[in-house]
Amino acid sequence: MESLLSVSADPEVNRLVEHTGYATAALTLLPIPGSEILGVMPLHVGMVLGIGHHHGRQLTRDGASELLVQIGTTVGASILGSRLATTAAKFVLPGLGGLIAAPFMFASTLAIGAVADTWFRSGGTVSDAEMRDLYKRTMKRAKSGFDPSRARNADARDAASQAVHDAQSTDAPTPQKTELPMERLRKAKRMLEEGLIDEAEFAAVKERILSEL
């Protein structure tokens, strides 16, 4: 039976992707404004570089970033924005904290890792439809396998803090301004329709957003 957290036939890739997933989840717990926006891109770039290395591909950081943009555009990760450099702003509705942010951040990271692994394994020949299907299937499995305690452990928190530090030391994107509540609600509805969050998660998001009105 396939593990809920298995994204590759390569155990090393699985360990790398799972570690990155919990580090991105830990970003939502850091007491640093915008940490979940600043830190995601360095972690995702490092993950893609590592996956590429396991497949004999030596990418530059720019090359890994370009692949992330390609994956994001193909699987529809741009539904909450136009640049994968602000991945967290797309995947996580502002202000929700750990309510759904941590498991969603974790699952989206594993889904990106699964697509990247397949992309390298296929030599870049995987179709857009296959990428989208793999992304959605992995998202659902990964959310079911998320362990909150792993996002709170020292290893995940240290990796998250280092990613934020790395982002702050470079020309990292500026966190986006918080959107109006109704705009966030419309985007949450679209996430539900795309199958990226379930009915319970949408209900929690809706209740939180409507409480701000």
Side-chain angles (χ1 to χ4, degrees), residues 52-69:
H53 175 74
H54 281 292
H55 289 284
R57 293 284 300 277
Q58 305 300 323
L59 276 71
T60 63
R61 295 191 71 82
D62 285 346
S65 298
E66 290 174 3
L67 178 55
L68 282 168
V69 170

Side-chain angles (χ1 to χ4, degrees), residues 2 7 47 53 58 64 80 114 146 155-156 160 185 188:
E2 183 180 18
V7 302
M47 178 178 70
H53 175 74
Q58 305 300 323
L80 301 185
F146 176 69
D155 185 46
L185 184 58

Side-chain angles (χ1 to χ4, degrees), residues 36-42 65 68-69 82-90 171-174 176:
E36 69 278 9
I37 296 175
L38 289 173
V40 164
M41 193 62 172
S65 298
L68 282 168
V69 170
S82 61
R83 298 179 60 195
L84 199 66
T86 53
T87 309
K90 302 182 184 70
D171 296 327
T174 302
Q176 297 177 351

